[in-house]
Amino acid sequence: MQNVIRIKGAVFYGYHGVRSEEQSVGGKFESDVDIYTNFSAAADKDDLTKTVDYHKVYSFMNHLAVSQKHYLIETLAMNIADELLKKFANIQKVAIRIRKNNPPLGGVADCVEVEIVKDRSEL
Protein backbone atom coordinates (compact mmCIF):
# COMPACT_ATOMS: atom_id res chain seq x y z
CA MET A 1 0.00 0.00 0.00
CA GLN A 2 1.22 3.48 -0.80
CA ASN A 3 -0.09 6.55 1.00
CA VAL A 4 0.84 10.22 0.63
CA ILE A 5 1.58 12.84 3.28
CA ARG A 6 1.70 16.38 1.88
CA ILE A 7 3.20 19.53 3.30
CA LYS A 8 2.02 22.49 1.22
CA GLY A 9 3.20 26.07 1.19
CA ALA A 10 6.10 25.73 3.62
CA VAL A 11 7.77 29.15 3.65
CA PHE A 12 11.41 29.93 4.38
CA TYR A 13 13.77 32.83 3.87
CA GLY A 14 16.88 31.87 1.93
CA TYR A 15 19.79 33.21 -0.07
CA HIS A 16 19.43 31.27 -3.30
CA GLY A 17 19.97 32.77 -6.72
CA VAL A 18 22.57 33.63 -9.32
CA ARG A 19 22.51 37.40 -8.82
CA SER A 20 24.62 38.90 -6.04
CA GLU A 21 21.64 40.68 -4.46
CA GLU A 22 19.80 37.35 -4.17
CA GLN A 23 22.82 35.89 -2.40
CA SER A 24 23.22 38.86 -0.03
CA VAL A 25 19.67 40.18 0.57
CA GLY A 26 17.84 36.86 0.17
CA GLY A 27 14.19 36.27 -0.45
CA LYS A 28 11.08 34.32 0.43
CA PHE A 29 10.77 30.82 -0.97
CA GLU A 30 7.94 28.32 -0.75
CA SER A 31 8.03 24.56 -0.98
CA ASP A 32 5.70 21.62 -1.13
CA VAL A 33 6.63 18.03 -0.45
CA ASP A 34 4.69 14.87 -1.23
CA ILE A 35 5.90 11.98 0.91
CA TYR A 36 5.04 8.52 -0.41
CA THR A 37 4.99 5.96 2.37
CA ASN A 38 2.80 3.30 3.92
CA PHE A 39 1.11 4.66 7.04
CA SER A 40 -1.55 1.96 7.40
CA ALA A 41 0.10 0.49 10.54
CA ALA A 42 0.28 3.96 12.08
CA ALA A 43 -3.38 4.60 11.30
CA ASP A 44 -4.41 1.22 12.74
CA LYS A 45 -2.53 1.81 16.00
CA ASP A 46 -2.77 5.62 16.09
CA ASP A 47 1.03 5.53 16.53
CA LEU A 48 3.29 8.33 15.28
CA THR A 49 6.37 6.09 15.41
CA LYS A 50 4.95 3.95 12.58
CA THR A 51 4.70 6.79 10.08
CA VAL A 52 6.72 9.77 8.85
CA ASP A 53 6.68 12.58 11.41
CA TYR A 54 5.91 15.58 9.21
CA HIS A 55 7.00 17.98 11.97
CA LYS A 56 10.50 16.48 11.69
CA VAL A 57 10.32 16.59 7.88
CA TYR A 58 9.40 20.30 7.94
CA SER A 59 12.17 21.13 10.42
CA PHE A 60 14.72 19.21 8.36
CA MET A 61 13.64 20.86 5.09
CA ASN A 62 13.74 24.30 6.69
CA HIS A 63 17.24 23.64 8.04
CA LEU A 64 18.49 22.56 4.59
CA ALA A 65 16.88 25.57 2.91
CA VAL A 66 18.27 28.23 5.25
CA SER A 67 21.67 26.78 6.17
CA GLN A 68 23.14 26.75 2.66
CA LYS A 69 23.23 29.06 -0.34
CA HIS A 70 22.66 27.74 -3.85
CA TYR A 71 22.73 29.47 -7.19
CA LEU A 72 19.90 27.25 -8.44
CA ILE A 73 16.63 26.25 -6.83
CA GLU A 74 17.07 23.05 -8.83
CA THR A 75 20.08 22.24 -6.64
CA LEU A 76 18.13 23.02 -3.48
CA ALA A 77 15.25 20.77 -4.55
CA MET A 78 17.59 17.89 -5.42
CA ASN A 79 19.45 18.28 -2.12
CA ILE A 80 16.21 18.21 -0.12
CA ALA A 81 14.92 15.15 -2.01
CA ASP A 82 18.17 13.23 -1.50
CA GLU A 83 18.51 14.11 2.16
CA LEU A 84 14.89 13.27 3.02
CA LEU A 85 15.29 9.82 1.44
CA LYS A 86 18.54 9.28 3.36
CA LYS A 87 17.23 10.50 6.73
CA PHE A 88 13.75 8.92 6.77
CA ALA A 89 13.90 5.19 6.06
CA ASN A 90 10.14 4.78 5.64
CA ILE A 91 9.87 7.33 2.81
CA GLN A 92 9.57 5.39 -0.45
CA LYS A 93 9.42 8.37 -2.82
CA VAL A 94 9.30 12.17 -2.57
CA ALA A 95 8.14 14.96 -4.82
CA ILE A 96 9.64 18.35 -3.95
CA ARG A 97 8.49 21.65 -5.41
CA ILE A 98 10.42 24.85 -4.70
CA ARG A 99 9.06 28.25 -5.68
CA LYS A 100 11.06 31.45 -5.88
CA ASN A 101 8.65 34.32 -5.36
CA ASN A 102 9.00 37.50 -7.41
CA PRO A 103 11.91 36.21 -9.49
CA PRO A 104 14.16 38.79 -11.17
CA LEU A 105 12.99 38.16 -14.75
CA GLY A 106 12.80 41.72 -16.02
CA GLY A 107 9.00 41.41 -16.06
CA VAL A 108 6.11 40.40 -13.86
CA ALA A 109 5.79 36.80 -12.65
CA ASP A 110 4.47 35.52 -9.35
CA CYS A 111 7.08 32.79 -9.08
CA VAL A 112 9.32 30.29 -10.75
CA GLU A 113 8.89 26.67 -9.66
CA VAL A 114 10.93 23.51 -10.03
CA GLU A 115 9.84 19.98 -9.17
CA ILE A 116 11.85 16.85 -8.50
CA VAL A 117 10.35 13.41 -8.02
CA LYS A 118 12.77 10.86 -6.63
CA ASP A 119 12.37 7.25 -5.58
CA ARG A 120 14.47 5.52 -2.94
CA SER A 121 15.95 3.25 -5.65
CA GLU A 122 17.53 6.34 -7.27
CA LEU A 123 19.85 7.07 -4.33
Side-chain angles (χ1 to χ4, degrees):
M1 176 182 286
Q2 191 174 71
N3 309 123
V4 182
I5 298 169
R6 289 190 174 92
I7 300 172
K8 292 183 163 191
V11 178
F12 56 89
Y13 197 88
Y15 298 87
H16 312 291
V18 175
R19 296 178 180 217
S20 61
E21 59 272 12
E22 294 175 296
Q23 291 269 320
S24 61
V25 175
K28 184 175 121 179
F29 295 81
E30 291 182 14
S31 69
D32 304 323
V33 60
D34 299 341
I35 301 163
Y36 294 83
T37 188
N38 182 348
F39 57 69
S40 59
D44 284 345
K45 303 287 184 195
D46 199 24
D47 184 351
L48 178 60
T49 65
K50 298 187 182 308
T51 188
V52 178
D53 184 339
Y54 51 81
H55 178 268
K56 289 181 181 177
V57 169
Y58 174 84
S59 294
F60 189 63
M61 286 175 51
N62 187 61
H63 169 74
L64 292 172
V66 302
S67 67
Q68 301 172 345
K69 290 182 181 182
H70 298 289
Y71 288 119
L72 305 176
I73 58 174
E74 292 90 330
T75 305
L76 176 61
M78 184 70 77
N79 187 33
I80 290 172
D82 288 346
E83 294 304 317
L84 285 175
L85 288 167
K86 289 176 189 174
K87 182 170 178 67
F88 297 93
N90 50 352
I91 295 178
Q92 299 161 357
K93 179 172 82 171
V94 293
I96 307 290
R97 285 170 297 285
I98 304 286
R99 287 179 295 283
K100 179 187 283 192
N101 295 307
N102 303 310
L105 298 176
V108 178
D110 288 340
C111 68
V112 173
E113 179 179 80
V114 299
E115 179 177 21
I116 291 179
V117 179
K118 194 159 193 177
D119 189 273
R120 177 164 299 286
S121 66
E122 297 176 87
L123 282 179

